[in-house]
Amino acid sequence: MTRLATPAIAAPTYTIVVPMFNEAETIPEMHRRMSAMLDGLDGPSELILVNDGSRDNSLALLRGIAARDARVKVLSFSRNFGHQMAITAGIDYARGDAVVVIDADLQDPPEVIPQLATAWRAGAELVYAVRAERKGETWFKKTTAALFYRLIAGMTELKIPADSGDFRLMDRKVVAALKQVREHHRFMRGLSVWVGFKQAAVTYVRNERFAGETKYPLKKMVRFATDGITSFSYVPLQLATTAGFVFAGLALVAIPVVAVLRLIGSDFFYGQATTLISVLILGGIQLIFLGILGEYLGRIYDEVKQRPLYIVSEKIGFNDD
Ligand code: UDP
Ligand code: MG
């Protein structure tokens, strides 16, 4: 199919990056609302849709949209590399002066983007959208998310605003800095804060998913949370030292206590149960810390291998550069 309009050669002011995995049900509506919003923006724009190895007919729909809308560019991965890699690819290919990352499921309303742009025009270099309210999320998701943000705030120096997702606008400077970070277990919302720059927040109401269900099952959520913590904190590793001191201290205190109890004839510490329980507790704790060591070791191994972060199997609409 031929494209109706030739894309402008000059770099656009805005790039909107949308990662998507099996979002066929929302793609037409997403594109409709996104183009209406882009029409009203105060500058030319490009829309980079990243197909993260979808197994439904997302790619076919994206091809159709790209054929009709000259602003649309499509990056298609060779398989599912994950949300964070899809965002990374979009940012890598973005040419706009300001780059916006937004989910495909319309939970983050595209209509908020002009507000982010206003804050950017006013001088902010990183504008994150903060959820004032989350509609249609499960109790479990809200509680674990709140817990996670508290945990990461306590363990790291990073000031990730609570209740912010990946929905944000970044100035070209932030994007350039972020593009230098090539680590494999990427926690993008942490990294975009880590690079620094002048920040501002815009609050919005997060809606329910337009269609389909979450592409973040519990397993992916746990992996995402571990990546977030391990990439910014050594606290889990240091906990072993604390636990070591605690248990060594307990043992030291126990020696005189047990001796005295024996001397006065008590059989409180007598028997196998005590020994068995303490061996199991300590064995368990040691295995947990071995596991934590493994988490870090595995991540070091992934970095050492130096594999590419993602593999693009198809590019549509990038012929102008
Ligand atoms: N997503 C992706 N790759 C994945 C999982 C999710 O590109 O492996 C996209 C998904 O299509 C959506 C965004 O990441 O645009 C956020 O995912 P989702 O809405 O499922 O997460 P939730 O909002 O439930 O946390
Ligand atoms: Mg969502």
Side-chain angles (χ1 to χ4, degrees), residues 268-279:
F268 188 73
F269 276 103
Y270 192 74
Q272 291 180 352
T274 326
T275 321
L276 212 72
I277 288 170
S278 46
V279 166

Side-chain angles (χ1 to χ4, degrees), residues 3 7-9 15-17 46-51 66 70-76 89-95 312 314-321:
R3 292 160 64 81
I9 302 296
T15 301
I16 318 290
V17 171
E46 64 177 358
L47 184 59
I48 300 188
L49 308 174
V50 187
N51 172 38
R71 286 180 297 213
V72 173
K73 296 172 181 187
V74 178
L75 283 176
S76 191
I91 291 175
D92 286 346
Y93 283 83
R95 296 184 312 145
V312 175
E314 192 176 339
K315 283 186 250 179
I316 306 167
F318 286 92
N319 44 348
D320 51 315
D321 40 27

